[in-house]
Structure formats: C-alpha cells, structure tokens
Amino acid sequence: MRDIKLVEVRSEIAAGTRGASLGIDALKIASLDKTSDFFTRFDPINVPDANNFLWKGNKHPNAKYIDGVYQVLKNVYSTIESLRLEKLFPIVLAGDHSTAAGTIMGIKAAHPEKRLGVVWIDAHADLHTPFTTPSGNMHGMPLAMCIQTDNRDCEVNQPAEETLQYWEKIKKIGGDAPKIKAEDIVFISVRDTETPEDFLIKKYGIKNFSTEEVRSLGITKVAEEALSILGNCDQIYISFDVDSLDSSISMGTGTPVANGLTVKEALELNTELIKDKRVCCWEIVEVNPTLDSENLMAENAFDILEATTKSLVDHF
C-alpha cells in the first residue's frame, strides 16, 4: 500500500461564492452517513488558510485577495514539497481550486528534475491571469500561475502595480521557472472557457477530451489517451474539480456548468487514471455544501474519493 497522506486545505478565498471551506467537513459527514471508516484510515494534515482576509475587504479587483492567496499557496507548496520528499502520496481535499497551483509547485520543488504532467478534470480551463480575468476570482488562474504566463496577447485589464507584484511573487513560488509545460496539461470535460483561455489552449495545443468524447470513446480509452499524451512525463498529478460533473447533479459547487460528467463517469475515470504508476498526487476541490441540498454533492464526491483511493491502493 502506498503511504497516503490526506491534506486538508480549507481555503475559499479565491472563489466567487462563499462556502467552499466547508467542503471537507461535508465530505466527512457524507462518510458518516455511508458508515465508511475512510477518515479513520489516513492521518490528515491541515494546511493553514488565509480566509481571514475575506473580512478585510478586497483591494485587488483583477486578482481578488491576491495577498491572501499568496500566503495560502506558499503554505500548500511547502506542505506538498515535504510530503513528496518523504515519498508520501498526497490526497488533497481542498476548497477553491487556486490552491492546486501550490500543489503543483510543491510536487515540482521536491523533484525539479522530473517532468510533471497534469490531468485537469474540470468545467473550466483555469488559465486566466490578472490581465485577462473577467471576474477577478483567482480560482480561475492556477494553471496560468504554473506555466508562468501573463497572456498579455489577450490583455483586457490593467491591474494595479501592487497586484502585479503579488502575481510575480506567486509565479515564483518554488523557483522562478515554469512548473509545468503547457503542452503537458490534459483537460477532461472543460466546457466553459473565455477567449483568452481559448487562445492559450490553441497556442499550446492543449488537448481537451469533451464530455461527448468521454462518452463516444469510453472511459478506458480516454484515460489511455490522456496518459499517452503525457508519455514524456515522469510524474502525473490529477486534479478533480467537482464542477466537472453535470450541473443537474452539481448544485453544491460554486460554478456549475451544463453538459458535464455523470457521477459514474467521474468515478470510473478517476479510478482508471490513478492506476498509472507515475501518478504522484490526486486532488478533489470545490465542494460547497452551502449551495447544496441534503449534502448531495459531498455524498457523490465522497464516493469518488473513496473509490479512487481504493483503486490507488489496489494497483500499487
């Protein structure tokens, strides 16, 4: 059995709606309702968040609460780096998706010589920057941070100087170099993008397996092709945003989008992908029980979490 370490990140500072910080506890309630012993089997680490910045008011309209986001990303980065240096396998339970940048930074810092690929299962591409974001919400920026792009080709905003100082510091967490190559990103079920993100996807030839492709090719084939695209990578990180699920079943998340995956598809996809021996970290994000009824999203997400972990253990 791989030495698994649960990493709990209760950050919601980068989301547009409040409540994602409660997602981890919603998962634990779901496990109790399902009489699962999952949370007794793995010791969790709790990464300090910066949600207190929400009370201070936002001074950065093009990168909301970027001063707090910077703190959280540093905390996540140092935690993940330490775990990977100890050869532990982090399963990250996180609130808003911005913290995925800290996870990637930590994996890369632990083994800078290893090429890192990313499977991003999400409704969104999360490739915005302070120069391109329509909302200012930084959970739409983690991959841009990691490939170190500003995407000035598609500039629509003029961020303040202090905002850009924090943005530069964020991009340099764990070293002043891209943590991943853009072509080493594979999207699955991404379906809600803006023009600046489409520009980068086309520029770097990033593959997106649409929901339709998942159904026409089948889960096994999609997993196989996704992993094949990352054939030159030494390590693979999988980030699963629950808004990749269809909006009819994903009410309990901040930005639901129609035409997404079913719970069964997401479960089978994650359990298949994690069998690859290069996978070194898996993450689930954006469960928000305040937007839900009867904890349905957390119950579905917990099923995926438990099944994926079992697949990891069984196929080591």
Side-chain angles (χ1 to χ4, degrees):
M1 175 175 160
R2 293 200 189 186
D3 291 317
I4 293 168
K5 199 73 176 176
L6 280 188
V7 180
E8 300 179 356
V9 189
R10 287 174 171 79
S11 177
E12 62 170 76
I13 194 171
T17 53
R18 304 281 64 86
S21 61
L22 305 173
I24 294 164
D25 293 315
L27 287 169
K28 292 182 177 181
I29 289 166
S31 78
L32 289 172
D33 289 344
K34 293 171 180 288
T35 62
S36 167
D37 66 348
F38 181 88
F39 286 99
T40 67
R41 287 159 46 206
F42 307 105
D43 291 328
I45 290 179
N46 185 47
V47 178
D49 61 60
N51 292 334
N52 59 308
F53 276 75
L54 293 167
W55 301 102
K56 300 178 182 181
N58 171 52
K59 303 169 190 164
H60 304 274
N62 300 127
K64 293 175 182 173
Y65 304 104
I66 192 171
D67 39 1
V69 170
Y70 172 60
Q71 282 193 15
V72 178
L73 294 186
K74 282 201 303 179
N75 294 343
V76 174
Y77 142 75
S78 60
T79 300
I80 298 297
E81 180 190 27
S82 298
L83 293 177
R84 290 302 298 146
L85 286 171
E86 294 172 35
K87 295 184 169 55
L88 297 174
F89 188 105
I91 289 183
V92 184
L93 316 179
D96 77 71
H97 212 171
S98 72
T99 62
T103 303
I104 291 170
M105 291 159 179
I107 295 169
K108 186 64 176 177
H111 299 102
E113 76 290 353
K114 293 186 177 180
R115 185 166 167 179
L116 176 60
V118 173
V119 180
W120 198 259
I121 308 168
D122 196 324
H124 308 92
D126 295 341
L127 280 167
H128 274 298
T129 77
F131 294 99
T132 68
T133 174
S135 68
N137 297 325
M138 293 197 72
H139 66 170
M141 304 185 192
L143 287 176
M145 298 169 186
C146 293
I147 64 173
Q148 280 201 338
T149 185
D150 294 333
N151 197 11
R152 298 292 291 267
D153 291 319
C154 301
E155 182 174 350
V156 292
N157 305 321
Q158 294 182 304
E161 185 58 37
E162 188 184 3
T163 302
L164 294 180
Q165 287 171 1
Y166 274 111
W167 178 247
E168 288 303 314
K169 287 201 291 185
I170 282 174
K171 289 189 295 178
K172 293 173 183 173
I173 294 172
D176 187 8
K179 310 310 181 291
I180 50 174
K181 297 174 182 283
E183 55 266 34
D184 290 338
I185 299 168
V186 176
F187 289 135
I188 300 179
S189 203
V190 168
R191 57 196 185 276
D192 185 12
T193 58
E194 283 82 34
T195 302
E197 296 177 302
D198 294 336
F199 172 83
L200 292 174
I201 291 168
K202 185 176 180 182
K203 177 180 178 180
Y204 293 110
I206 300 172
K207 172 62 180 172
N208 176 32
F209 290 94
S210 66
T211 304
E212 291 77 17
E213 275 183 285
V214 171
R215 286 175 191 155
S216 63
L217 292 172
I219 297 293
T220 304
K221 186 67 173 170
V222 167
E224 183 184 304
E225 289 191 14
L227 295 166
S228 176
I229 291 168
L230 304 178
N232 292 323
C233 295
D234 307 299
Q235 299 188 113
I236 294 173
Y237 152 74
I238 302 168
S239 192
F240 173 63
D241 187 324
V242 296
D243 72 19
S244 61
L245 299 171
D246 188 73
S247 53
S248 64
I249 47 173
S250 65
M251 309 297 280
T253 191
T255 45
V257 182
N259 195 31
L261 302 171
T262 66
V263 175
K264 183 173 184 286
E265 287 166 340
L267 188 150
E268 290 177 0
L269 182 62
N270 280 287
T271 54
E272 190 64 30
L273 288 166
I274 207 164
K275 294 174 185 176
D276 192 294
K277 296 294 188 285
R278 294 171 297 160
V279 177
C280 63
C281 179
W282 184 84
E283 179 172 59
I284 185 168
V285 301
E286 295 277 2
V287 173
N288 186 337
T290 68
L291 303 172
D292 209 357
S293 60
E294 299 181 3
N295 210 28
L296 181 61
M297 172 58 91
E299 295 206 349
N300 287 325
F302 177 74
D303 286 343
I304 295 166
L305 166 65
E306 189 169 46
T308 303
T309 306
K310 183 178 186 304
S311 181
L312 172 67
V313 172
D314 288 350
H315 291 91
F316 177 59

